[in-house]
Structure formats: structure tokens, C-alpha cells
Amino acid sequence: MSRWVVTGLRVVIGGGIVGSLFVQTVMLFLLYRDLDGADREVLELRGPLFAILVLLILVVQVCAVCVWRLLTMAERRTVFSQPAFRFVDVMIAAIGFAALLLVGLGCMLAPGELVAPGIVLLIGGAAATVVGIALIVLVLRTLLGQAVQRDREAAHLQAELDEVI
């Protein structure tokens, strides 16, 4: 993998993590405080809503760290090994958790007149899209498994060839 690609991706991931930490700690806190004068219906949902938002940002951060670790493994040419599965599995679980959080958010906002029904439908569509992303990562995990198996077979064949020579 090109050094420029690795460096560029690390800059993007690092910037994303720093930006998400800023949003998670500063911006959400300020938004939480801005809602102090809101209607009673909004105030009742404020705590759960912000908990879901913080957890969704945490999911993005977890996935970014896993991609960083996989990028490091790819750079060291160790990505086709068993430890890589741990990071992919964590990403699949985190993305699945994000889908559940979005479903919970939709269910939380559905009753009442707080948001339009179209917003709830959009959140449901986002949850379905996130499930699709989890399934894509699951397919990529299967491909990683096949690549690890091929790598083992190649190493075994190389060892046999070395014995013959």
C-alpha cells in the first residue's frame, strides 16, 4: 500500500476522531443546555435523545479505531491473520448496535407530535441502511477469511517446495 494513501487515511481518521470528540463533549453539551427552555415534551426526551447521540458518535469512533488498526496491520503485511478478525467483528457489532440505536430513536420520536412522521420514516430508512452496511462488512469478513485461508495454503505449499528444493 502506498505511503501517501496510508498517511492520508490516517489524517482523515485522526481528524474524524478529534472532530467527533469535540462534537461529543462540547457541541452536544451546548445543545443540551440550549434546550433548557423547551417544551415539556422535548425536555422529557432530551436525556434519552442525547444518550443515543453520544452512543452513535461512540460507534463511529470505535469503527475509526478498528480501521486504523487494520490499516496498521495492512501496512505491516499482517492483515491476513486471525487478529484481524477481532477488529472486523468489533466493527460489525458496533454497526449493528448503531442500527438498534436508530430504531430506538425512531420508536422514541414516533408517538406524539414532536416530529413529523416523515422524520421517523427517515430514521427507519437510516437504520435499514446501517444494517446494510453491517451486512457488507460481514461479507468483507468472509472475504478476509478466504484470504487468510489462501495465505495459509500458500505458506504450506511454499514450505513443501522448500523441502523439495
Side-chain angles (χ1 to χ4, degrees):
M1 188 175 296
S2 166
R3 189 82 176 130
W4 288 100
V5 172
V6 171
T7 303
L9 189 52
R10 284 195 173 137
V11 167
V12 169
I13 292 171
I17 290 173
V18 169
S20 68
L21 284 171
F22 176 74
V23 168
Q24 199 173 30
T25 57
V26 176
M27 297 303 292
L28 286 181
F29 174 73
L30 293 174
L31 184 59
Y32 187 88
R33 283 190 40 209
D34 280 348
L35 291 177
D36 282 341
D39 296 339
R40 187 168 100 34
E41 188 178 10
V42 173
L43 290 176
E44 289 175 358
L45 295 177
R46 181 171 68 168
L49 174 66
F50 279 89
I52 289 173
L53 291 175
V54 167
L55 289 172
L56 284 171
I57 294 170
L58 183 64
V59 165
V60 172
Q61 293 165 343
V62 165
C63 289
V65 168
C66 288
V67 170
W68 185 292
R69 296 296 306 263
L70 288 168
L71 180 62
T72 301
M73 292 179 80
E75 188 178 38
R76 294 178 183 160
R77 300 191 185 275
T78 60
V79 74
F80 296 120
S81 61
Q82 286 301 117
F85 287 99
R86 179 179 57 222
F87 299 115
V88 177
D89 290 342
V90 168
M91 286 176 57
I92 292 170
I95 295 168
F97 182 63
L100 289 176
L101 287 171
L102 287 171
V103 168
L105 178 63
C107 291
M108 184 177 72
L109 294 176
E113 301 285 327
L114 186 60
V115 296
I119 299 297
V120 175
L121 183 63
L122 285 172
I123 292 170
T129 302
V130 171
V131 168
I133 292 169
L135 292 173
I136 289 170
V137 176
L138 183 62
V139 168
L140 293 174
R141 184 195 188 284
T142 303
L143 294 174
L144 177 63
Q146 291 174 355
V148 168
Q149 183 62 31
R150 295 280 187 261
D151 196 46
R152 282 189 200 137
E153 290 172 9
H156 177 70
L157 291 173
Q158 184 65 43
E160 285 183 7
L161 185 60
D162 289 345
E163 285 179 21
V164 172
I165 295 175

